[in-house]
């Protein structure tokens, strides 16, 4: 049976995933015409989320028919189960007779006669930021009520044919952990075109909105963050038991250097996302994000980010990382990753999204030698905002694949050395070189050791290349420059005496 056999023209609706605070999904189903109870419906799924995508094994759209409807044919997708179609004898059986059908996307390479436009991605949908052209899926189907299926006769045709009985199914589900869908609601009929000039209006259009919740998706977090900085030798690890604790239910891990047994490996990953099997650690997370404050320059500072996959049974395709930091508004360059700012709150530009370069590092491989990706970024030091104090250089929030990661406590962040912390606040005022004793006293208070004077002709090379902040006041000049992590230097230039010699006092940590 085909559409032409029944002489109807059926059009349909869309099913978008709309963005909201936690997540967004929408579904729209429109019909255009029916004849002898047969309808053609087009369903479109659109992911309107900025940074959460649908990864393998993909979406599994399901619903519950209100009556005894059956699906006769499908293009661009297929039902997992055909169901009991024994009532249809001596004729072609329907594609699916299930009361609650589950529909999955076709895979790439599907025969052309089974395809429709924008189908066949294996259920994978990218986020709107990464690739808007691959953030939607479409399929088409013919269905009708099984109880009304009969070849009309002259006496019964007027009773069997109705003009508008397009009842929507209910209880929609995307089949992805964490998503919950609303009831269908009717919207103004959409319009479709085949050539861009003539537009045809469908009979009905319906929307279904689905919302994502990380708490519904998983009882425990899926990633954690560790921190380090060049000015502190301490590496702050992920908090203990961030994702699970060894010995608890569901905590499957393998010790470092060992291989998992065959019984621990998943048997079928094509239909279900396997449970994490991670390297044993104090945090037990499948993903660890490490933020390292690498270097400080005159006007810029450099950060290195490493994402490590500790999951032994899963590769992460089309992964993405979202960071929240106030200095992202002045990001200058990003190496090895794609980057795009996410202006979620008007003109506030403190959130950025990073993802891999296609065919280079867009696949985060399972735990092992190649199970990590890394980047470095260069940021400008904004006057009045930038500082290394009080953990300002570390991110406020980190999300991997749309799920928020566990951060260390701010009390544990790497801190500046005590001497450098105090010296950064110190300022000295000298009237002349006779205040040398006072200078020595203040130097000891700052935890620094005063070295010696230099004649102008013997000013060392390190001073010539050092960028300094100079304040002039009366008959003295204060020159202050603090380079955290290396040496902390405070230099004071005194007024020239009668001999026209300039002396410079140098402080070293």
């Amino acid at each position: 049976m085909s559409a032409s056999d029944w002489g109807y023209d059926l059009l349909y609706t869309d099913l978008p995933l709309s963005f909201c605070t936690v997540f967004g999904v929408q579904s729209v189903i429109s019909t255009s015409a029916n004849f002898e109870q047969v309808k053609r419906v087009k369903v479109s799924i659109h992911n309107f989320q900025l940074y959460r995508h649908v990864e393998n094994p993909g979406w599994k759209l399901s619903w519950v028919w209100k009556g005894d409807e059956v699906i006769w044919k499908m293009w661009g997708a297929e039902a997992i189960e055909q169901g009991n179609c024994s009532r249809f004898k001596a004729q072609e059986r329907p594609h699916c007779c299930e009361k609650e059908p589950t529909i999955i996307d076709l895979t790439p390479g599907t025969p052309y006669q089974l395809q429709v436009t924008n189908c066949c991605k294996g259920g994978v949908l990218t986020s709107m930021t990464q690739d808007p052209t691959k953030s939607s899926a479409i399929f088409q189907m013919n269905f009708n009520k099984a109880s009304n299926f009969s070849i009309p006769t002259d006496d019964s045709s007027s009773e069997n044919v109705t003009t508008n009985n397009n009842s929507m199914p209910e209880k929609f589900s995307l089949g992805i952990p964490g998503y919950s869908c609303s009831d269908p609601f009717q919207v103004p009929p959409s319009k479709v075109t085949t050539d861009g000039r003539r537009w045809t209006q469908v009979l009905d259009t319906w929307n279904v909105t689905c919302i994502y919740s990380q708490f519904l998706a998983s009882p425990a977090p899926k990633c954690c963050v560790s921190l380090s900085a060049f000015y502190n030798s301490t590496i702050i690890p992920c908090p203990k038991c961030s994702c699970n604790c060894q010995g608890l239910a569901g905590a499957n891990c393998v010790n470092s250097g060992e291989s998992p047994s065959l019984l621990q490996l998943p048997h079928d990953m094509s239909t279900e996302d396997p449970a994490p099997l991670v390297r044993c650690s104090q945090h037990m997370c499948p993903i660890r994000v490490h933020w390292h404050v690498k270097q400080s320059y005159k006007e810029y500072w450099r950060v290195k980010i490493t994402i490590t996959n500790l999951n032994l049974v899963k590769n992460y395709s089309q992964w993405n990382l979202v960071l929240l930091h106030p200095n992202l508004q002045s990001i200058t360059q990003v190496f090895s990753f794609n980057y795009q700012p996410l202006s979620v709150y008007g003109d506030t530009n403190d959130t950025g999204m990073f993802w891999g370069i296609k065919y280079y590092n867009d696949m985060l491989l399972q735990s092992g030698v190649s199970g990590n990706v890394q980047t470095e970024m260069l940021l400008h030091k904004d006057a009045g905002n930038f500082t290394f104090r009080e953990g300002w250089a570390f991110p406020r929030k980190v999300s991997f694949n749309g799920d928020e990661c566990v951060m260390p406590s701010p009390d544990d962040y790497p801190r500046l050395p005590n001497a450098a912390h105090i010296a950064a606040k110190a300022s000295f005022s000298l009237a002349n070189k006779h205040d040398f004793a006072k200078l020595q006293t203040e130097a000891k208070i700052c935890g620094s050791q005063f070295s010696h004077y230099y004649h102008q002709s013997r000013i060392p090379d390190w001073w010539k290349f050092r960028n300094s902040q100079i304040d002039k006041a009366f008959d003295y000049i204060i020159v202050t420059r603090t380079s955290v992590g290396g040496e902390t230097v405070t230099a004071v230039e005194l007024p020239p005496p009668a001999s026209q010699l300039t002396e410079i006092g140098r402080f070293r940590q």
Side-chain angles (χ1 to χ4, degrees):
M1 183 186 70
S2 66
S4 58
D5 294 332
W6 290 95
Y8 65 86
D9 180 21
L10 247 297
L11 297 160
Y12 40 90
T13 178
D14 281 343
L15 187 123
L17 303 154
S18 85
F19 181 82
C20 66
T21 47
V22 184
F23 185 90
V25 185
Q26 278 186 338
S27 84
V28 184
I29 297 185
S30 7
T31 41
S32 95
N34 62 32
F35 184 75
E36 296 176 359
Q37 305 299 318
V38 180
K39 304 176 181 67
R40 175 172 294 172
V41 175
K42 183 178 180 181
V43 180
S44 302
I45 304 175
H46 302 285
N47 182 7
F48 291 139
Q49 242 208 162
L50 294 179
Y51 55 84
R52 182 174 289 107
H53 65 286
V54 178
E55 58 184 339
N56 192 56
W59 53 266
K60 297 179 181 178
L61 184 64
S62 64
W63 60 80
V64 177
W65 294 114
K66 291 183 178 179
D68 58 349
E69 289 86 351
V70 296
I71 301 173
W72 283 97
K73 284 193 175 182
M74 295 194 76
W75 297 266
E78 62 184 356
I80 295 179
E81 297 285 346
Q82 184 184 32
N84 183 9
C85 298
S86 58
R87 72 173 73 182
F88 301 93
K89 300 178 180 178
Q91 59 189 5
E92 180 183 357
R93 293 192 176 186
H95 177 82
C96 178
C97 300
E98 289 280 304
K99 177 73 173 179
E100 186 176 351
T102 300
I103 311 301
I104 58 175
D105 197 8
L106 296 179
T107 57
T110 297
Y112 182 76
Q113 64 271 20
L114 298 178
Q115 296 186 28
V116 294
T117 303
N118 209 11
C119 80
C120 313
K121 302 182 181 72
V124 176
L125 301 177
T126 64
S127 64
M128 287 291 290
T129 303
Q130 288 176 269
D131 190 351
T133 64
K134 297 181 180 179
S135 63
S136 61
I138 295 176
F139 66 88
Q140 189 170 302
M141 64 181 180
N142 294 346
F143 75 94
N144 75 339
K145 288 183 176 291
S147 57
N148 290 341
F149 178 77
S150 61
I151 299 177
T153 63
D154 294 339
D155 296 333
S156 61
S157 58
S158 61
E159 298 177 359
N160 288 340
V161 179
T162 60
T163 57
N164 189 11
N165 189 23
N166 300 326
S167 60
M168 271 291 297
E170 57 187 1
K171 298 181 180 179
F172 278 81
S173 172
L174 274 178
I176 307 172
Y179 290 90
S180 54
C181 299
S182 69
D183 294 330
F185 58 95
Q186 195 165 10
V187 296
S190 53
K191 296 181 180 181
V192 296
T193 182
T194 56
D195 57 7
R197 298 190 300 173
R198 171 177 167 78
W199 294 83
T200 305
Q201 180 172 299
V202 303
L203 289 184
D204 295 300
T205 298
W206 301 74
N207 283 359
V208 175
T209 302
C210 303
I211 306 298
Y212 178 84
S213 169
Q214 182 175 344
F215 300 102
L216 293 178
S218 174
K222 299 179 181 178
C223 57
C224 65
V225 179
S226 56
L227 307 170
S228 64
F230 69 90
Y231 52 76
N232 195 309
S233 60
T234 303
I235 298 177
I236 307 303
C238 289
K240 188 175 182 180
C241 296
S242 295
C243 301
N244 210 330
C245 293
Q246 295 187 42
L248 296 183
N252 299 321
C253 71
V254 177
N255 292 322
S256 180
E258 298 181 1
S259 299
S261 66
L262 293 177
L263 295 177
Q264 290 178 294
L265 296 177
H267 300 288
D268 186 9
M269 293 186 291
S270 60
T271 58
E272 296 293 339
D273 195 16
L277 177 61
V278 303
R279 290 291 179 189
C280 293
S281 62
Q282 67 168 5
H283 56 78
M284 293 294 288
C285 290
I287 294 293
R288 181 185 65 215
V289 180
H290 184 75
W291 176 287
H292 175 63
V293 180
K294 186 175 181 179
Q295 204 163 357
S296 176
Y297 305 103
K298 172 187 174 183
E299 296 182 359
Y300 300 90
W301 61 298
R302 183 183 291 262
V303 173
K304 182 176 182 179
I305 301 172
T306 304
I307 307 173
T308 304
N309 184 5
L310 301 175
N311 195 340
L312 294 164
V313 295
K314 183 176 181 178
N315 299 327
Y316 292 87
S317 61
Q318 298 177 347
W319 58 268
N320 66 69
L321 183 73
V322 176
L323 301 173
L324 175 63
H325 192 283
N327 211 177
L328 287 179
Q329 63 182 351
S330 301
I331 193 167
T332 302
Q333 190 171 2
V334 177
F335 304 89
S336 304
F337 283 4
N338 290 307
Y339 169 77
Q340 182 169 322
L342 300 177
S343 300
V344 181
Y345 301 105
D347 296 332
T348 303
N349 182 15
D350 60 359
T351 307
M353 176 174 169
F354 303 79
W355 69 97
I357 299 173
K358 192 173 184 180
Y359 304 128
Y360 176 59
N361 58 1
D362 60 336
M363 174 76 76
L364 178 55
L365 300 178
Q366 64 190 42
S367 179
V369 177
S370 302
N372 68 85
V373 291
Q374 50 190 327
T375 184
E376 292 189 10
M377 58 180 176
L378 199 63
L379 303 103
H380 185 264
K381 295 179 178 178
D382 295 336
N385 291 328
F386 175 80
T387 179
F388 282 126
R389 302 190 193 120
E390 308 302 333
W392 186 91
F394 299 105
R396 310 310 190 253
K397 183 182 293 187
V398 177
S399 296
F400 180 80
N401 279 356
D403 290 325
E404 187 173 345
C405 302
V406 179
M407 296 282 296
S409 170
D411 294 336
D412 298 330
Y413 284 8
R415 293 185 176 274
L416 292 171
N418 291 334
H421 185 79
I422 300 176
K425 298 181 179 179
S427 67
F428 302 93
S429 61
L430 299 177
N432 53 51
K433 65 179 181 178
H434 298 294
D435 286 333
F436 178 81
K438 178 181 178 182
L439 185 62
Q440 285 181 308
T441 303
E442 291 183 340
K444 292 178 181 178
I445 294 175
C446 291
S448 304
Q449 181 179 0
F450 184 79
S451 62
H452 51 284
Y453 284 140
Y454 292 97
H455 286 284
Q456 188 175 17
S457 60
R458 300 204 308 267
I459 294 178
D461 291 338
W462 65 266
W463 175 253
K464 296 177 182 179
F465 295 97
R466 183 170 297 281
N467 295 288
S468 303
Q469 178 181 352
I470 302 178
D471 294 326
K472 294 184 178 180
F474 301 106
D475 58 344
Y476 61 88
I477 299 176
I478 302 175
V479 184
T480 304
R481 173 61 179 170
T482 300
S483 177
V484 182
E487 60 179 6
T488 300
V489 176
T490 301
V492 181
E493 183 180 0
L494 302 179
S499 60
Q500 298 299 314
L501 293 177
T502 299
E503 296 175 313
I504 293 180
R506 177 185 177 190
F507 294 88
R508 185 188 297 272
Q509 288 244 81

